[in-house]
Amino acid sequence: MRKPEFDGYDLIIVGASFAGLVAARTAAHRGLKVGVLDAKKEPGARVRTTGILVKEAADEIDIPAALTRRIPGARLYAPNGRHLDLFAPGYYFLATDTAGTMRFLAREAARAGAHLLFGTRFTGGALVDDEIRLEGTGLKTRYLLGADGARSRVAEAFGLGRNTEFLLGVETEYEETPTVDPDFIHCYLDTRLAPGYLGWVVPGVNMTQVGVAVSRGLFGEERKPDYAAFLRRVDPTFALWNCAELAKRSGPIPCGGLVSPLSTRRVLLTGDAAGLVSPLTAGGIRLAFQYGRRAAQAICDYLQAGGPDPGAAMAEEYPTFGSKALLRRLWSAAPPNALLNLALFTPPMQALAQWIYFRKRGFAGAEASLRAQSLVPRRGTA
Ligand SMILES: Cc1cc2nc3c(=O)[nH]c(=O)nc-3n(C[C@H](O)[C@H](O)[C@H](O)COP(=O)(O)OP(=O)(O)OC[C@H]3O[C@@H](n4cnc5c(N)ncnc54)[C@H](O)[C@@H]3O)c2cc1C
């Protein structure tokens, strides 16, 4: 990666991941001197995510097809093993080669002119004479964007809001196996194995991803994902014992909604650092793309054209997750498996599942897709 040619930046972004790299590309294209810091040694190192893109994320940022695998549907398994298949016309998810995608986004940001400073950890900073000075680095900037993830050090250093509610996810990557139907993200609802979230088996890009995440209980009780128990549940179907393990990962996923405050003078948060993760689906990449880019645009308008304060502008634009936050609380209560077995195959639950997985298509879309694809849900056993 290039060394900085100067220490004075218009914009320093902490975090070279989905939000930070897209923000860097945008701001550099618009003419700002941009530096991006990341504690990692190189882009794509230590991937912490499954990396599934919903279609809206794929539409927001074009990722080379060679780095993705298109998955048209979601298969939801009830605790008793019966399943429900969901599709929507024209909709798909993209599994990604996440490390490759990070390298692609980093190259794009660098090509736009951003300086990528990998192996540089942000430890603290202070506002001095309208500039943010970064502790221990000699770097200074007119504006600082914190895109440094769920446990943001930028938020901590500047007294901003911090995520307090998390899902905990663990995942193992295996070599690719033909036992996993590639037309589906396989999602397991099971209150005993995955209270407050779900387990998944994903036909990834040249590999298979298997993971499980859990939330805290409704009254804050600690829960930990039990990967071994989940593997025992899915192994009879997918025979993963035949597959070599390629990688393991784990991480917290913010699920408490937007943090507050989001900004202070010349400092703004975005991506996971701002709590921009759907509390229900735990998807954060689409929001990181969309609002990382918007935050960069607002900072450019502020610095280049006397536009409104970026913090105030983004407070108006960042989503607040109203109904999804409510559903998150209900799901964290972990309804009993017997209830899930009964409820999953009722029309209201099918419509809800369709809304959760296919977003704007909503309930009406669910009906349309059922008609269009004869998707009176196909039922079966795992
Ligand atoms: C197990 C798991 C599975 C997930 N699966 C999906 C999924 O399939 N689809 C989806 O949409 N979302 C998923 N998510 C959520 C998604 O990964 C996040 O929402 C997304 O990565 C947020 O991007 P970001 O750029 O805001 O932050 P991050 O991707 O967390 O990146 C933050 C960056 O900041 C750097 N950094 C942190 N602290 C410092 C510091 N002090 N100094 C310098 N650099 C620092 C880190 O090295 C990192 O590169 C998953 C999360 C987990 C944990």
Side-chain angles (χ1 to χ4, degrees), residues 14-21 37-40 45-46 48-54 102 118 120-123 147-154 167-171 197 200 212-213 249-254 270-273 276-277 281-286 288:
V14 182
S17 182
F18 300 103
L21 290 171
L37 267 57
D38 202 294
K40 291 177 182 171
R46 289 191 280 119
R48 296 273 289 266
T49 182
T50 310
I52 295 172
L53 305 186
V54 292
M102 286 295 165
F118 281 91
T120 311
R121 181 176 292 279
F122 170 86
T123 55
D148 53 337
R151 300 195 196 275
S152 168
R153 178 79 187 123
V154 172
L167 302 174
L168 283 181
V170 293
E171 182 177 272
Y197 193 59
W200 61 91
V212 60
R249 60 182 60 101
S250 63
I253 311 172
T270 196
D272 273 19
L276 282 169
V277 179
T281 65
I285 300 174
R286 176 181 76 89

Side-chain angles (χ1 to χ4, degrees), residues 55 87 107 114 116 128 144 183 211 326 331 336 340:
K55 184 170 185 302
F87 297 91
R107 268 197 309 275
L116 305 183
V128 183
L144 184 71
D183 282 346
L326 185 67
W331 196 237
L340 291 179

